Structures are given as C-alpha cells and as structure tokens.
Amino acid sequence: MSTIAQDKALLEGLARSEKGAIEAIYRENYGMVQALVLNNTGSPDDARDIFQEVMIVLYEKAGLESFELNCQLKTFVYSVARRLWLKKLQQMQRYNSTPVENLQETVPVDEDIELHEQKNQQFGYMESAMGKIGEPCKSLLEAYYLQKKQMQDIAADFGYTNADNAKTQKYKCLVRLKKLFFAQYKNGG
Amino acid sequence: MDDILLMDAAERYSKGEMSAQEIVFFEELRKNNPDIDQLVVEHNFFLNELDVYARAKAFRHTLHETEHKLAEEGLITKSQLRGKAKLYFIWNKYKRTVAVAASIAGLISLTTAGLNLAFNKNINNSKLEMLVQEVSKTQKDVDKIKNAASSNNPAAKPTPSVDYMATGFLIDAKGYIVTNAHVIAPMKQHIYVENKKGEYFTAIAVSTDVRSDLAILKIVDTGFHSPGILPYSIKRLNSDLGEQIFTLGFPRKEIVYGAGYLSAKSGQDGDSSAYQLTIPANPGNSGGPVINGNGEVIGIITGKNKGADGVTYAAKSKNIFKLVEDLKRQDKDFQTIKTPSGNILRGLDRVQQIKKLEDYIYMVVGN
C-alpha cells in the first residue's frame, strides 16, 4: 500500500517528466482504469486514450505551485478516469441508461478537469500555430525554444552565415507564430 | 524601436543577459512608453506559453515512449482483439449472403485475372524495373583494396565480395528482416545484411512470397546484437491517397532519404496488394520501408515504372503480417516472431524520426 507521501514523490517526478515516475504510475493503475473502461462499453484503445489523458491531467496538476494531493493517488486516478470516460460516452451519445458504476470511492475532480480543458486548449492553439508556420520556421523555433539549442549551433545546422542572421530569422518566425497563436487565443477566449 | 529589437531586449532582460546600464535604460523605456510596456508584457506572456508548450510536448513524448515500452511488455493491450470480435460477429450475421456473393465474385475475378495474366504478363515485365543494384566491377575492386588495407586490423571482419545490393528493415529486433523476394532471388550463395555502422551479418531467407514480392530474412550471425525495441509500427490497414511518405534505402553504400506521397491505392495494372507512390527511387531502394508521418510502415518499395519518372511501386504492409503468420503456422521455431505494436515516432519532426530509424534499416547484399 502506498502512502500519500510516496504518491506525492511520484507526482513530483511526473512534473519533471521522469520516465521512472510515469512507468510506476502506469504499472500501479493501468489495470484499474482499463477495467473501468472495458466494463463500460469501451475498448482497449479507449482505455489507452483515457489513461493517457489522466496522465496529462496529473502532469498539469503536479506542475501547479499550489499543488497538493488530498487523497490516495489511486483514488484520484480512478476519479479522473471515470469523469473523462463519462464525458467521452456522452460525446459519442452512448451514454443511455447504463451509467458508469462506482467500483471504487471517488473524490471531486471538477477543478482539475476544468484546468485540464483549459490547458489542453492552449496546447492545441500552440500546436496548430506551429503546424501552420511552415518550414524552416517550425524547425528553427523548435530548435531554439523547445530543444533549447544554442544560437551558434542552430546557425550551423540551418546553414546561416552567423548566429545574428539566424537570430533575426528566428524573431521573424516568432512574430508569425505569435500572430497565429493570438488569433486563436482571442477568438477562443 | 522596431519589434525585433524589442523582442530581443525582452528576452535578454528576462534571461538576465543585460548589463546594469541596459537594464536601467530598458526599465525606463517601459515606464515612459505604455505601448512598449504592453508589447513586452504580451511577449513575455507568449514566451511563457511557448515554454509551457515545450514542456508539455516533451512530457507527451516521454508518455508515448513509456506506453510503447509497456505495450511491448504486454502490460497494455492493443485493440486487435476487439477488431477480431467485431468481425466475427458481422461474419456470423452475413455468412450466407457473403458465401453466395463470394462464389460469384470468385468466378468473375478468376476469369478476369486469367485474361489479364494471359494478355498482360509480357508487357508487365518490360515496364517494371526491379530496384536491385548490381555492384559494378569497379566498386568490387575498390572494396578489395579497402579490405587489403583493413586486413592489418584483425578485429575488422573482411567485407565479403558481393554482386547485388538492396535494402531491408527489421520487423522484430531478434533479427528478422523484411526485404523483396526479387532482391534475394539472384543471391544464390550468400546473403549478408549490413547496418549503418558497416557491420556485416550473415542472414538466411526463411520465407519468400513471389506474389507480394516479399521475403523474410533471419540474421543467423552470432555476432548480431539487437538494436533495441523497434521505433516504428507496421500498419495493418490501407493508407489514404495523398498521404505524405518517406523512405530510407541504399541506392549507394550510404543510407539515402527520399520523400513523396501516396499517389494510387493500387500498384501496377491495378495490383491491389501494392501502392503506387510518387517518390524518387533508384536501384538499391528495393526492400526499403515506406513510412508515413506517424512513423508507421505502410509499405515496402518493390520497383519503379521504367516509362515514367518518379512512379514507384510498393507492396502494402499488411502483406508482412500474412507472411509472418504463414511462417508461424509452418514451424514452431518462428512462434516467437513479434511484430512491433506501437511506435515512438509520432509527433517528432522528420530529422528526429530518421535519427531513430537509421539503426533498424539494413543494406541487404549477396552473391
């Protein structure tokens, strides 16, 4: 039986994208979530999708400064998975007279789901903006802002004569990315 | 002050790269110009969003990798089970209708196929170019000289003298490689596979299927060590028209990348077990994997049309499964073959995908 302190340590590892933590949470909880989905008209693929989303919810929660865990991780995972699956069923309009049974105790997760939806939307905005700017902008921005490469190395990789040229190009790309991002952000918000 | 200078200033400010003098100037500027201040605030907000995105993206990637690993271990089940169950259900329901329809269709297709064969066979062969490369005498001489030079080093295995070269890729990290049947057909004596590092391993053909033009090789060399879990998956379903695809192969002694798109859902003369691709291919590309943006192998390059530039044909990837299943039925030694079930290439950019792929693609050579 894991204690809340151990669970908390796992979530802290998760916030740092540590492989070990992700794997441990999978091993501890995957069977439970899969059973929940399979027992309620879902498929193994649905179970995988739901579990991935639960992991993202956990990651976002663990990254908050105000993060605290008030129950066992297992209970939290179950509660989030149950809510996400209900929602999916509703979207697919398969949610008729057979409600998802509570196999285990649940805790309220409304706030967490709300935060997740908001973060997911923002992730989607950036992903779609990145998808639209085209090459070489996409690779250039990814190299600098995602992979955190040095400007000198980027200049060499992309064939710019010097780091300053690469930098100017990077900012031009960034202006376009910003425009694409905010266009959605303002419409969506 | 133009936008670029301002953005640069904002970034250097937040990174702490400014001199004390610059900081004073910059803070003064913001205080006195609400417009500029607004721009800086907006830019910082955006950079923060970008950083959150970068970390979320990295997290999702690690998540996929972990899921992939656990699926390999069998902890996570994939959906194939559901597919079978559903199919079975439909089959039961429509068994009789299907049986009648099938026998009629069977008769018609047999007749048409017969006619096609009778009339088209000769034309077919003259139009289709198989992409195995015959190694020239000059190249062989060069290899001989290289061998002579490296023979001082006892650790290096001598390069065998080979007559033909093409491409193949792993479908099971234990050393099972898929290539074309026509690639190994002329290799009467020895088959070798060579990895990116130039290491040679002896291989044997364990299965060939001339109809789909595929063959499975097994590396039997004791020096072979598995390069690890395969990063790509093999697609069971048909792919869509217009899908962006790429291939890696050995038209020369170095791995070469080529990109294109899926241009028809059937191969030469309506062959439904193949695709037509628009992608450059040269002798040596035969047996190379055709991979889509999600990192799924959708086909295997087989040949190109002599008459038209860039028209390349590829066997559909689902043929691989058929071959593997036949093999498993024939011999229990092959029961352990396990085709990859997930992939970690999804969401990576092309350069990263290729880096992860290279180790699993082999030059197939022989004499």
Side-chain angles (χ1 to χ4, degrees):
Chain A
M1 202 71 175
S2 61
T3 66
I4 287 191
Q6 280 170 332
D7 286 346
K8 204 162 171 246
L10 271 184
L11 284 179
E12 279 162 9
L14 192 70
R16 293 188 296 266
S17 296
E18 283 173 14
K19 264 190 187 162
I22 296 177
E23 204 177 315
I25 297 175
Y26 258 97
R27 286 187 192 283
E28 274 289 299
N29 301 286
Y30 193 78
M32 173 185 73
V33 170
Q34 180 169 264
L36 168 79
V37 173
L38 291 185
N39 288 334
N40 291 283
T41 70
S43 70
D45 266 357
D46 293 327
R48 276 170 57 216
D49 289 347
I50 291 290
F51 200 86
Q52 272 192 15
E53 208 170 339
V54 172
M55 290 298 274
I56 293 170
V57 172
L58 279 179
Y59 166 78
E60 286 158 355
K61 185 180 169 72
L64 292 180
E65 268 173 44
S66 60
F67 154 66
E68 51 183 325
L69 190 67
N70 299 319
C71 61
Q72 276 209 350
L73 181 58
K74 217 174 172 77
T75 311
F76 185 74
V77 167
Y78 182 81
S79 310
V80 173
R82 185 175 176 279
R83 272 296 297 274
L84 291 175
W85 181 233
L86 269 176
K87 210 162 178 182
K88 185 101 181 271
L89 285 177
Q90 269 163 351
Q91 277 167 3
M92 295 188 298
Q93 298 189 323
R94 283 197 345 223
Y95 181 54
N96 25 39
S97 55
T98 49
V100 174
E101 272 176 58
N102 265 2
L103 301 171
Q104 299 192 18
E105 74 168 304
T106 54
V107 288
V109 290
D110 297 326
E111 276 178 34
D112 302 289
I113 301 276
E114 208 170 294
L115 171 80
H116 167 61
E117 273 164 5
Q118 186 199 336
K119 292 239 170 192
N120 214 20
Q121 200 174 31
Q122 264 149 282
F123 184 86
Y125 290 156
M126 195 63 88
E127 185 96 327
S128 121
M130 275 285 189
K132 281 182 192 156
I133 48 170
E135 295 296 354
C137 274
K138 184 167 183 273
S139 301
L140 194 60
L141 292 178
E142 281 182 351
Y144 187 78
Y145 290 103
L146 271 59
Q147 290 147 24
K148 316 272 182 205
K149 285 191 187 161
Q150 291 300 315
M151 220 57 227
Q152 278 94 340
D153 299 335
I154 294 177
D157 287 351
F158 287 79
Y160 292 104
T161 41
N162 58 50
D164 275 344
N165 281 347
K167 209 168 169 181
T168 311
Q169 188 57 43
K170 182 202 81 179
Y171 281 123
K172 282 184 184 160
C173 292
L174 195 66
V175 170
R176 289 182 47 211
L177 185 73
K178 237 162 112 171
K179 226 181 231 166
L180 285 164
F181 176 81
F182 280 119
Q184 299 178 74
Y185 190 82
K186 281 165 188 160
N187 287 337
Chain B
M1 197 179 199
D2 82 4
D3 275 1
I4 288 182
L5 276 176
L6 196 63
M7 280 192 289
D8 191 40
E11 278 185 28
R12 287 197 301 124
Y13 181 79
S14 59
K15 276 187 176 173
E17 288 172 358
M18 277 187 173
S19 67
Q21 206 182 351
E22 270 182 306
I23 292 176
V24 174
F25 177 74
F26 186 63
E27 284 172 349
E28 197 69 14
L29 190 73
R30 284 182 66 175
K31 214 160 71 189
N32 299 331
N33 299 280
D35 286 354
I36 288 181
D37 187 55
Q38 175 60 29
L39 270 174
V40 173
V41 169
E42 190 191 80
H43 189 66
N44 285 342
F45 169 79
F46 182 70
L47 284 187
N48 184 48
E49 282 293 311
L50 199 55
D51 197 43
V52 169
Y53 170 78
R55 277 184 283 127
K57 188 123 175 135
F59 174 74
R60 282 173 198 224
H61 181 64
T62 318
L63 193 61
H64 282 144
E65 269 185 342
T66 311
E67 197 204 50
H68 179 63
K69 184 180 157 219
L70 295 175
E72 288 287 326
E73 274 180 32
L75 184 80
I76 297 173
T77 343
K78 299 265 166 164
S79 64
Q80 282 145 26
L81 268 175
R82 179 179 67 137
K84 261 185 205 154
K86 211 174 189 176
L87 195 68
Y88 186 67
F89 166 69
I90 296 172
W91 173 239
N92 271 339
K93 200 167 166 189
Y94 298 107
K95 215 188 266 180
R96 203 182 292 155
T97 337
V98 170
V100 176
S103 41
I104 298 173
L107 272 177
I108 296 175
S109 63
L110 268 181
T111 334
T112 359
L115 286 174
N116 265 340
L117 261 184
F119 288 107
N120 288 341
K121 191 120 205 202
N122 294 331
I123 314 168
N124 276 359
N125 294 343
S126 64
K127 260 199 293 186
L128 186 71
E129 185 186 353
M130 307 287 198
L131 299 176
V132 183
Q133 195 174 125
E134 285 193 42
V135 180
S136 66
K137 188 161 177 312
T138 340
Q139 181 63 49
K140 276 195 233 173
D141 289 345
V142 172
D143 285 347
K144 255 183 223 155
I145 297 167
K146 267 200 210 152
N147 275 340
S150 67
S151 62
N152 296 332
N153 174 5
K157 240 203 249 177
T159 316
S161 156
V162 295
D163 299 323
Y164 307 96
M165 63 189 243
T167 309
F169 59 98
L170 283 172
I171 51 161
D172 180 326
K174 290 193 287 292
Y176 291 95
I177 287 179
V178 160
T179 185
N180 289 143
H182 77 255
V183 164
I184 55 164
M187 300 178 182
K188 305 277 188 235
Q189 299 171 39
H190 297 103
I191 303 173
Y192 305 97
V193 294
E194 182 186 342
N195 65 14
K196 192 186 72 178
K197 291 177 220 150
E199 296 168 325
Y200 273 87
F201 306 107
T202 313
I204 52 165
V206 291
S207 171
T208 49
D209 176 28
V210 179
R211 220 170 43 86
S212 60
D213 194 7
L214 291 182
I216 298 182
L217 309 177
K218 182 175 190 333
I219 300 176
V220 290
D221 215 306
T222 47
F224 174 72
H225 38 85
S226 159
I229 298 174
L230 306 192
Y232 43 81
S233 55
I234 299 172
K235 200 168 177 187
R236 281 177 190 270
L237 304 173
N238 281 348
S239 281
D240 291 322
L241 218 55
E243 192 164 53
Q244 302 284 333
I245 44 109
F246 66 96
T247 188
L248 290 165
F250 290 95
R252 38 187 289 220
K253 293 210 93 179
E254 189 163 334
I255 196 158
V256 173
Y257 165 82
Y261 52 89
L262 203 156
S263 43
K265 281 190 177 181
S266 62
Q268 198 182 26
D269 300 315
D271 177 1
S272 66
S273 72
Y275 295 119
Q276 181 188 315
L277 314 172
T278 299
I279 191 170
N282 293 300
N285 270 116
S286 261
V290 180
I291 299 168
N292 68 14
N294 288 334
E296 297 168 305
V297 173
I298 68 148
I300 303 94
I301 303 258
T302 54
K304 71 171 177 183
N305 191 312
K306 271 186 202 166
D309 253 4
V311 174
T312 303
Y313 300 107
K316 290 183 181 173
S317 52
K318 62 179 171 195
N319 292 311
I320 298 176
F321 294 107
K322 219 184 128 279
L323 224 64
V324 169
E325 266 138 43
D326 285 349
L327 201 56
K328 280 183 180 176
R329 251 198 308 275
Q330 279 165 24
D331 198 326
K332 64 175 191 314
D333 284 357
F334 300 119
Q335 293 288 349
T336 57
I337 302 184
K338 204 168 158 290
T339 47
S341 47
N343 84 69
I344 56 163
L345 301 175
R346 189 185 296 264
L348 293 185
D349 68 41
R350 190 57 55 85
V351 176
Q352 298 299 325
Q353 287 182 333
I354 293 168
K355 269 191 193 142
K356 291 206 188 285
L357 271 164
E358 278 178 327
D359 289 341
Y360 301 85
I361 300 182
Y362 286 73
M363 194 193 298
V364 177
V365 295
N367 53 26

